Amino acid sequence: MPDRVTAHEGEARPGRRWAAGTGVGKRVRSRGKATAALTLSYLGVVVLLLGAWWALSRGLGLPALPDPVASFRALGRAWGHGLAYHTAISTWRVVSSLCLAAVTAVPAGMVLGQARVADRLAGPAIYLTYPVPKSVFLPVVMAVLGLGDVARIFLVWLVVFFQVLVGTRDASRSLSPQFLHSVHSLGASARDVYRHVVWPAVLPAVFTSLRVGLGTAIAVLFLAETWASQSGIGYFIMLAWTRLGWDEVMAGVLAMGALGMGLYLILDLLERVSCPWRYV
Amino acid sequence: MIEVRDLRVEYPGRPPAVALAGVSFSLPRGTACAIIGPSGCGKTTLLHALAGLVTPAAGEVRVGGEVVRGPRERTAVILQDWGLFPWKTVWANAALGLEIRGRLRAGRARVEGLLREMGLWELRHRFPAQLSGGQRQRVAIARALALEPDLLLMDEPFSSLDALTREAMQELVAGILRRGEITAVLVTHDIAEAAFLGQQILVMAPGRISWQVSNPGAMEPGYRATGQFLDLCTRLRELCRPEVMARSA
């Protein structure tokens, strides 16, 4: 009975449109509110941390922990005298390690999650090597790859690679078979399956593992920069330490923290741009 | 259009699980066929075999005279829960089949026409998560029709819709199938849906077809209100009872 159906649609549509309209309005308003609330809570945390730092520094009264004011002053002084350069070097090392890790681990993880044979072959190797702390290979890596950037980037890559690999593989493996049926029924080739289904499906997991990897990457980079190094924030901190320039040490710590936070924000932004369906 | 002979499908295991054990039926071009039966009787497997998504252990499936060995160019499938990709917009979902088959350039206007016809054009930049159940269903139908199929396979396409939307969708599909250009197979567990859309109704018992019922009045406007429709529903309900199924063996 087509006319009965038309009648249903006629009744239902204005209601739906009205509901959608208010929904969108509400969403925009509440999104604005949420952003304001989020900014406030971040500011609150910053104030709280600075307060705690200040109290601790005052309470301990040790030269090793200067208060925030002295540290930020030192940061301002050191920035123009080398710290900016060291921060740029460290940024380059972390970013290139993360990019290399993404480029190598994501395709491998997608295939391992989909191809059972490959996973059966590589699975035990990953399982056994994943828990080994990669940073202990620093002396070996430096002996083999020299004392330059290559060795440091390689070491950080080694750490992040496994995290991204495992994260991507697990996401690729847990892909709903319904999606695969759906794309196969459209006559998809293996390339189409990876392009239209596996890649977008694992993308959020890739960002999650990169975020987790970022923290470890910076820690490992610090270690790698404190050994036989002439550059990087790690080197700057160690140098300041040997001179007992405690406010400069804290300036380095602040630079390292800013580097981590900046990259974290960039990853967040990249995820928002490349996974728009997660933010609707 | 469809000829299935002694089809046997097994799923790997020790011993292998037999999903279909010797299914045979045929369907003339342009017919709409509904398959009903209890859960786990092999309805979806039969549909997947028609779609070329599973390989038979024995027997064969022919569509348009040719043995099915994999997904066929002019077969379109609408899966349970619609098989839409959450990461693709309405437009990208509807155009995906054509894109995969390398025909998007030529088919762009067709996708646009279908989206307009289905009332989805204004929503083309939205993601599935932003649509109602009925709207998602229409995207799935648009994607299937964009391929200009001669065979449309549907696996419980309306099962997660509310009753009103479901009827509206059944009318929409009936309107398309009434033109007789497309042969359709619909798997459903809803007896009224099978009776409304199926010109041929296959009642399945586990692993086999127990009854084939002809239903010439299917899809006619007003058919749902006729006594004939209600009688058919009663009869189908009877045929689906386990003891009646056992008798057909």
Side-chain angles (χ1 to χ4, degrees):
Chain A
M1 279 158 281
D3 36 22
R4 203 178 76 188
V5 172
T6 328
H8 282 320
E9 297 236 318
E11 279 160 23
R13 269 198 191 143
R16 212 180 287 153
R17 202 174 293 150
W18 175 79
T22 46
V24 167
K26 233 187 234 167
R27 210 180 297 152
V28 170
R29 233 173 297 136
S30 64
R31 198 178 282 172
K33 251 188 208 168
T35 314
L38 205 66
T39 315
L40 264 181
S41 67
Y42 273 112
L43 276 177
V45 170
V46 168
V47 168
L48 209 72
L49 281 176
L50 288 175
W53 177 3
W54 185 82
L56 197 66
S57 146
R58 278 296 152 104
L60 288 174
L62 293 173
L65 189 64
D67 66 31
V69 179
S71 304
F72 275 101
R73 267 201 200 125
L75 177 67
R77 271 197 318 273
W79 191 253
H81 292 92
L83 185 53
Y85 162 75
H86 292 298
T87 306
I89 294 284
S90 291
T91 309
W92 141 252
R93 286 172 184 161
V94 177
V95 170
S96 48
S97 312
L98 286 178
C99 290
L100 267 180
V103 167
T104 48
V106 172
M110 292 201 298
V111 172
L112 289 182
Q114 286 299 309
R116 272 195 205 152
V117 183
D119 194 36
R120 215 169 290 152
L121 289 174
I126 295 170
Y127 192 84
L128 289 178
T129 49
Y130 183 60
V132 177
K134 314 294 178 298
S135 43
V136 297
F137 291 110
L138 177 68
V140 183
V141 170
M142 285 198 165
V144 175
L145 294 176
L147 301 177
D149 271 0
V150 178
R152 292 170 226 280
I153 290 173
F154 177 82
L155 193 71
V156 179
W157 167 80
L158 196 62
V159 174
V160 184
F161 173 81
F162 275 92
Q163 287 181 344
V164 178
L165 180 75
V166 170
T168 310
R169 181 197 61 182
D170 291 353
S172 166
R173 196 192 274 162
S174 61
L175 186 64
S176 160
Q178 178 208 332
F179 290 137
L180 296 172
H181 268 140
S182 177
V183 74
H184 280 305
S185 74
L186 295 170
S189 63
R191 194 171 144 265
D192 292 319
V193 173
Y194 279 99
R195 180 172 157 216
H196 294 290
V197 180
V198 183
W199 163 248
V202 303
L203 206 48
V206 169
F207 279 106
T208 304
S209 49
L210 278 175
R211 263 196 295 264
V212 174
L214 175 65
T216 340
I218 289 182
V220 173
L221 181 72
F222 175 74
L223 182 76
E225 284 180 346
T226 52
W227 277 97
S229 175
Q230 299 284 310
S231 58
I233 303 175
Y235 164 75
F236 177 88
I237 292 175
M238 290 309 277
L239 193 68
W241 188 18
T242 55
R243 290 197 306 239
L244 296 181
W246 294 110
D247 50 353
E248 279 189 22
V249 169
M250 286 314 284
V253 169
L254 285 173
M256 204 68 133
L259 170 60
M261 210 167 76
L263 290 178
Y264 203 86
L265 285 176
I266 289 173
L267 279 177
D268 244 17
L269 198 74
L270 282 177
E271 183 177 6
R272 274 177 185 276
V273 171
S274 52
C275 309
W277 69 93
R278 310 238 312 162
Y279 299 94
V280 291
Chain B
M1 181 70 185
I2 296 180
E3 280 169 80
V4 175
R5 217 178 307 144
D6 301 324
L7 177 67
R8 184 180 175 86
V9 175
E10 294 170 353
Y11 286 114
R14 279 186 213 145
V18 180
L20 296 174
V23 167
S24 301
F25 70 95
S26 64
L27 213 60
R29 189 176 293 275
T31 328
C33 166
I35 304 177
I36 53 169
S39 302
C41 69
K43 305 187 291 275
T44 295
T45 303
L46 178 53
L47 197 85
H48 283 186
L50 294 175
L53 293 173
V54 294
T55 316
E60 64 175 20
V61 176
R62 279 173 186 272
V63 173
E66 281 176 33
V67 178
V68 172
R69 291 205 174 83
R72 190 176 152 269
E73 181 82 357
R74 295 196 66 196
T75 299
V77 187
I78 300 177
L79 293 165
Q80 214 164 358
D81 298 322
W82 322 308
L84 296 182
F85 298 103
W87 42 82
K88 289 192 179 282
T89 60
V90 167
W91 165 268
N93 263 298
L96 183 61
L98 288 175
E99 193 184 342
I100 283 175
R101 291 170 196 207
R103 296 188 345 226
L104 185 56
R105 199 177 283 264
R108 208 168 269 277
R110 184 173 167 78
V111 176
E112 181 181 337
L114 280 163
L115 288 181
R116 284 189 192 281
E117 192 183 326
M118 302 269 174
L120 293 166
W121 183 245
E122 307 299 322
L123 306 175
R124 65 189 181 282
H125 299 304
R126 292 207 185 175
F127 290 101
Q130 295 168 291
L131 304 179
S132 71
Q135 288 165 340
R136 284 185 220 177
Q137 183 56 64
R138 277 181 281 161
V139 178
I141 295 172
R143 180 171 81 183
L145 295 181
L147 298 170
E148 298 184 283
D150 57 5
L151 176 61
L152 179 61
L153 304 174
M154 294 172 276
D155 186 8
E156 303 201 11
F158 312 122
S159 57
S160 37
L161 300 176
D162 62 86
L164 282 182
T165 316
R166 192 184 315 149
E167 279 196 13
M169 286 299 128
Q170 289 166 357
E171 301 280 356
L172 181 80
V173 168
I176 293 159
L177 297 183
R178 262 201 302 268
R179 298 175 205 156
E181 295 154 2
I182 301 176
T183 311
V185 178
L186 165 83
V187 163
T188 178
H189 60 252
D190 178 346
I191 284 174
E193 185 169 288
F196 178 65
L197 288 174
Q199 293 165 321
Q200 292 287 324
I201 299 167
L202 304 180
V203 182
M204 282 187 76
R208 62 195 171 83
I209 291 172
S210 52
W211 310 93
Q212 182 161 1
V213 182
S214 246
N215 179 26
M219 300 192 287
E220 290 303 321
Y223 183 50
R224 276 205 195 86
T226 60
Q228 197 190 342
F229 174 80
L230 297 175
D231 287 347
L232 178 65
C233 288
T234 313
R235 201 171 140 222
L236 289 175
R237 214 161 272 132
E238 178 72 14
L239 292 177
C240 283
R241 281 171 47 205
E243 58 272 26
V244 182
M245 278 194 166
R247 229 182 293 148
S248 75

